[in-house]
Amino acid sequence: MSPEAKQYPSLYPDENDPSNLDEMPLMMSEEGFENDESDYQTLPRARANHRQKGLELLPSSSCCDCLARCCRRKKELKARTVWLGAPEKCEEKYPKNGIKNQKYNIITFVPGVLYQQFKFFLNLYFLVVACSQFVPSLKIGYLYTYWAPLAFVLAVTMVREAVDEVRRYRRDKEMNSQLYSKLTVRGKVQVKSSDIQVGDLIIVEKNQRIPADMIFLRTSEKNGACFIRTDQLDGETDWKLKVAVGCTQRLPAVGDLFSIKAFVYAQKPQLDIHSFEGNFTREDADPQIHESLSIENTLWASTVVASGTVIGVVIYTGKETRSVLNTSSAKNKVGLLDLELNRLTKALFLAQVVLSIVMVALQGFSGPWFRNLFRFVVLFSYIIPISLRVNLDMGKAAYGWMITKDENIPGTVVRTSTIPEELGRLVYLLTDKTGTLTQNEMIFKRLHLGTVSYGTDTMDEIQSHIIQSYALVPPQPSGGSTSGATPSRKPQSSAPKVRKSVSSRIHEAVKAIALCHNVTPVYESHVNGEPEATEADQDFSDDNRTYQASSPDEVALVLWTESVGLTLVNRDLGSLQLKTPSGQILSFHILQIFPFTSESKRMGIIVREESTGDITFYMKGADVAMASIVQYNDWLEEECGNMAREGLRTLVVAKKSLSEEQYQDFENRYNQAKLSIHDRSLKVAAAVESLERELELLCLTGVEDQLQADVRPTLELLRNAGIKIWMLTGDKLETATCIAKSSHLVSRNQDIHVFKPVSNRGEAHLELNAFRRKHDCALVISGDSLEVCLRYYEHEFVELACQCPAVVCCRCSPTQKAQIVKLLQQHTDNRTCAIGDGGNDVSMIQAADCGIGIEGKEGKQASLAADFSITQFKHIGRLLMVHGRNSYKRSAALGQFVMHRGMIISTMQAVFSSIFYFASVPLYQGFLMVGYATIYTMFPVFSLVLDQDVKPEMALLYPELYKDLTKGRSLSFKTFLIWVLISVYQGGILMYGGLVLFESEFVHVVAISFTALILTELLMVALTIRTWHWLMVLAEFFSLGIYLASLAFLNEYFDLSYITTWPFLWKVSAITLVSCLPLYIIKYLKRKFSPPSYSKLSS
């Protein structure tokens, strides 16, 4: 197996193992199917699945697939050699460095939008009916009755899509036209982000976005390293340290980059943002200089430089950058309600065809029966109303407007206007942790020394102890390296062990916290000179200092030691300086650093104090890792538990004094271990472990990651609404568990089952069985174990996880988050919602049925990609309970009512035709038909979007009401059938009534039945409404007024002299009464004997 395969066993299944073929990882994006090289895609099964999916969508999809493949044959991704500053030397042509989020271009816009529209059965059907009117023998009525509504629907959609496209285009243009300095032989040139090529040398200033994937060549910082912020790439807000290539950093001036002959060899572009392999070679040196390049020499696109100015050589651009490879393309989301309505329209179409066949059969198939059949289909085409799409689309726009205008959730933006009803049907909510549930601001809360505990209100005591203990030390010149002066406490260590005073223990603990970390203080320079400016002109005053570290916890600890008087003022690779309260500087040499890893869960540092020569080994880490290392004590475990229950992140701090001999002995063994070729990491770990024995426990610290406002009540609300919450985070297991408890994602009395790390099928099997025996407990699992479980036991795992009240997945990559969303969609058929705030949540937000973005500290990337953007997590409660509920209930009522409006007139047409010897003659001509669906009934029917069954306060007070919505009972075949029965009953009554009561002329039938029909519709709207709004009343009377006014002009249909007589009035009233009164009585009885759940609350 290749080295990569050993490193990521989960990505390279063993080809010989047949069982693996069933458990292939899920695909991320369509692009995967073309580039055979990338890790995920060499999987036969995944390809087969893709083809099958295609077949479901299009009957001739194999031909389409071949065509598409020929058209967009992908270049395969290749490893490359890049010469510094010489883009023209590249052998290949690499992609442009532009960002492109648009769905269409000028040419594909119209066909693309039309395809999206006619993909729906509904619209395709109207197109066919409208086209049939060009055939003279099939023509019924006027052309405009069919074409006008269709044209209107398409125009509205086109305009909406065009506006979205223009917005996307502007956003892209803004990003692509950012200017960067490019180094050339002639000096600096300004270049647009989109014009950057592979091989260019680009200068990136502090706080500027890195435009393409680069190798880090040199920096203005004198230690040859800089910090970058990666929050848009992996969602972690801590800063990462990057190191410049040694050979180029050592060159005297920037211009020398052109005087050397050097190239970078880089591996082919791939998905993994945490690994990179390459080489740097300088040819003109003698001998040639080779340096190996790893992840710490890279600057990925979309990250931001946090310190100094950097110069890098571009190795990947555009589509090949890590950030673009990791984002999946946005899909067009279709709401569940639209799919349900689509199903119902198909059922209606069937009914329509059956009805037409029955009509022709009753004619006895005489004459040109085939033509008559088609004429009947067109006559009954009102069964499926074209106004359904118009009304629903306008309704969605109205809901979007209401959400934006809601004062209780200010700043909410609706970016996708097609799916507001989804908010009312959610079962799974997948949330990010950092920045979504928490504010990502660490605050030091507690210091525990075993006998005493200090909280936020008693920190001043610590401060006074520190000031005292340093006042005992005779002052020194601030060089810190004078030999004579020794602290007065020195003799104590050689004396027999006395129980230390609280003061000295505090002093030791604070000093340990101030030394044992990976934090660098940074000073803002006030001199904006060349990027190569030295650090000499920087000022060391307190207000000018900021701390940088790869973990926000460490910064919180160092800030706390500063607040109690011991300040970190300077640090480089080999030493650090602390400033005491009296202003004296203590210098320490850093002899060794053992960085934090997720396996060891601890970090250590060995320092030598310059003034005394004392060597001390400090260590801090998670309680699980440290408990076995420190000397026996009886309080650690208990106190850690107490702090964790308060939602604090705990760290155990310990130390060990080393003599010069002990240290030398260790150093020799450690260096030997580092040079060994076999099992290097094991030997190094063993050498360090020899030191990690019997450490003196100093203290336990508690740091709080503050939750966002009202996270607990919001999660409680969502849980009561029957929504299952999954937390997907890139953070450590301990932290994730901690936040899950403190945010009450896992309630107080629930157990937490931590899924043990598994790496193969057998372990996964055992662990799943252990999990199956537990009931009602939350699951915590890490990304790697999840990958293994999904590979072998996908179905079983999802089934078990779905029964949990809460699930926490930690150490998740962005692609894994999206994979989990897709899993839930496939296995449960329930609607999912993803909420996040960083660039690493974008794939998950786009994959979910409904994506919500929070405008957070991590930038706006998530909120721009989401369907809904909110400003705070707590707003999600109202968004779902109130707006989700209303949107779904209203759309369901509106959709069914519009169908009812079409069915009633089709029933009348059927009755009419059957009485007149099954003639395919229209009952209502031209304008009456157009007016009926638009001007006469449009306003009252559309006013249903203002209806609400429960007041917003009620919906938030009783979130349990939300559970009913997820069952989808407001729009189902049952409710639909009830509406069909109502339509058939009313249509029959109206038509028969008109025929029975008309006297001399047939024209009276049209007048009586049509007037009764309009009145019936207006009364039915009144019957459907649950809460009246003044606009609804206005719409009812306005429509009635328009109808009465228009009677004067419609003399080709109505006999005016007859309309104004008494017989006409009483006949119309009688028919209307018979058609509507029974329904009112039934509704009254139903409310009385089986009221809906919400009416019990509101009474």
Side-chain angles (χ1 to χ4, degrees), residues 429-433 436-437 725-728 835 844 873:
L429 176 74
L430 300 105
T431 162
D432 177 40
K433 176 188 75 70
T436 305
L437 296 178
I725 304 165
W726 289 35
M727 182 165 94
L728 314 180
I835 176 168
M844 158 171 94
F873 183 77

Side-chain angles (χ1 to χ4, degrees), residues 165-331:
E165 271 301 281
V166 170
R167 278 194 197 140
R168 283 191 207 107
Y169 169 73
R170 286 198 184 134
R171 277 211 305 268
D172 292 348
K173 195 173 169 189
E174 191 186 342
M175 291 295 266
N176 289 332
S177 52
Q178 287 179 350
L179 290 175
Y180 290 89
S181 306
K182 170 172 140 182
L183 274 183
T184 60
V185 188
R186 293 181 295 285
K188 282 191 206 171
V189 214
Q190 290 289 308
V191 56
K192 273 191 193 163
S193 163
S194 54
D195 297 339
I196 290 173
Q197 298 168 299
V198 171
D200 280 348
L201 295 176
I202 301 292
I203 300 175
V204 186
E205 304 287 337
K206 182 172 172 177
N207 290 332
Q208 226 183 351
R209 187 182 71 89
I210 292 174
D213 287 358
M214 312 199 294
I215 293 295
F216 183 12
L217 297 179
R218 65 186 286 136
T219 169
S220 58
E221 304 280 313
K222 66 166 188 269
N223 59 2
C226 83
F227 282 98
I228 61 168
R229 293 201 293 271
T230 58
D231 45 20
Q232 291 305 321
L233 195 60
D234 60 7
E236 293 304 312
T237 47
D238 41 9
W239 297 6
K240 309 282 186 294
L241 186 73
K242 297 288 180 181
V243 182
V245 176
C247 169
T248 48
Q249 179 66 23
R250 287 192 296 271
L251 295 175
V254 181
D256 297 342
L257 285 171
F258 285 99
S259 58
I260 62 170
K261 273 190 70 177
F263 63 85
V264 168
Y265 170 79
Q267 63 181 153
K268 64 170 189 276
Q270 56 181 26
L271 275 170
D272 190 2
I273 51 178
H274 300 299
S275 72
F276 173 77
E277 287 165 16
N279 288 315
F280 176 88
T281 310
R282 179 174 172 183
E283 283 195 334
D284 54 354
D286 192 38
Q288 284 191 1
I289 298 174
H290 293 288
E291 283 192 43
S292 75
L293 301 176
S294 70
I295 186 70
E296 58 181 21
N297 307 112
T298 59
L299 303 167
W300 294 145
S302 294
T303 57
V304 176
V305 179
S307 66
T309 305
V310 303
I311 298 174
V313 58
V314 176
I315 51 169
Y316 307 126
T317 50
K319 290 188 198 125
E320 298 179 339
T321 60
R322 292 290 202 267
S323 62
V324 176
L325 287 174
N326 266 291
T327 44
S328 44
S329 53
K331 57 172 186 175

Side-chain angles (χ1 to χ4, degrees), residues 489-502:
R489 284 183 45 263
K490 180 72 176 76
Q492 194 190 334
S493 59
S494 52
K497 270 211 165 162
V498 196
R499 183 162 185 139
K500 290 184 181 171
S501 68
V502 171

Side-chain angles (χ1 to χ4, degrees), residues 10 31 104 150 360 406 475 561 600 617 619 681 760 977 1017 1050:
S10 59
E31 280 147 31
Y104 314 104
L150 188 64
V360 176
D406 187 345
T561 63
S600 71
F617 170 45
M619 187 151 226
S681 52
N760 56 40
L977 281 172
E1017 280 299 293
L1050 298 174

Side-chain angles (χ1 to χ4, degrees), residues 57-58 104 108-120 123 154 158 332:
L57 298 174
L58 292 165
Y104 314 104
T108 58
F109 179 71
V110 176
V113 176
L114 289 178
Y115 169 72
Q116 288 299 335
Q117 282 305 301
F118 292 123
K119 204 167 62 170
F120 275 109
N123 297 359
L154 289 179
M158 287 267 188
N332 282 337

